[in-house]
Amino acid sequence: MDRDIDFGYTKDHARKGANTELPAIQCWENQYKRDYVIKIVLPEFTSVCPKTGLPDFGVITIEYIPNELCLELKSLKYYLLEYRDMGIFMENIANKILDDVVKACKPKVARITGEFTPRGGLKSVIIAEHGKWPSK
């Protein structure tokens, strides 16, 4: 097997979508000072492969321990819908969502999990984290 196969992916493909400006995620004031976990699941996430233009499907899970602010769900829905026609790799999706969630609400910790529908027999699960989760 030839290990030097050129699949035609470029640096432009790799970064595509990662720096795209998306709608702001709004927040509201957290009413509790104790630590608790908020888990938000989007079971019908869609985006587009930046090279082939084919759709990608998956489940995005956002988990975080709020600090002063909590994510407002309506603005989060509009934010996530922007990925529908965006060419972006799965790895960039999880990391971009994490960056934008942290920027919006500055949680104590956060975890974004992207569990994507298998393609060609391979299933990708991407986990991006901010901060250190407390031990149980």
Side-chain angles (χ1 to χ4, degrees):
M1 183 169 157
D2 185 357
R3 301 263 183 213
D4 294 327
I5 298 172
D6 178 7
F7 292 105
Y9 288 95
T10 66
K11 288 182 181 181
D12 288 338
H13 289 122
R15 280 305 295 166
K16 190 163 182 182
N19 296 324
T20 301
E21 193 73 27
L22 296 175
I25 302 169
Q26 302 298 313
C27 298
W28 53 274
E29 188 176 336
N30 181 13
Q31 301 301 301
Y32 297 94
K33 300 308 171 199
R34 65 176 164 264
D35 285 352
Y36 63 100
V37 177
I38 297 175
K39 183 175 183 178
I40 303 164
V41 180
L42 176 65
E44 297 177 336
F45 180 85
T46 58
S47 63
V48 177
C49 174
K51 183 162 193 294
T52 66
L54 295 172
D56 285 322
F57 304 95
V59 177
I60 298 293
T61 303
I62 300 169
E63 299 171 274
Y64 69 102
I65 297 176
N67 199 358
E68 299 295 323
L69 301 171
C70 296
L71 299 174
E72 191 275 322
L73 294 181
K74 183 177 179 183
S75 68
L76 183 62
K77 287 178 196 178
Y78 283 116
Y79 167 86
L80 292 168
L81 281 172
E82 289 293 316
Y83 285 89
R84 177 173 283 171
D85 296 321
M86 182 191 301
I88 185 170
F89 285 125
M90 298 170 192
E91 295 81 359
N92 289 350
I93 292 166
N95 283 286
K96 180 165 183 49
I97 293 172
L98 178 66
D99 289 347
D100 291 344
V101 164
V102 168
K103 180 181 174 186
C105 71
K106 298 168 185 57
K108 292 180 180 179
V109 296
R111 176 185 301 125
I112 309 301
T113 303
E115 189 169 346
F116 296 93
T117 303
R119 265 204 264 148
L122 297 175
K123 179 177 182 172
S124 293
V125 178
I126 314 302
I127 301 167
E129 295 185 320
H130 164 78
K132 184 168 173 50
W133 285 85
S135 300
K136 290 185 178 184

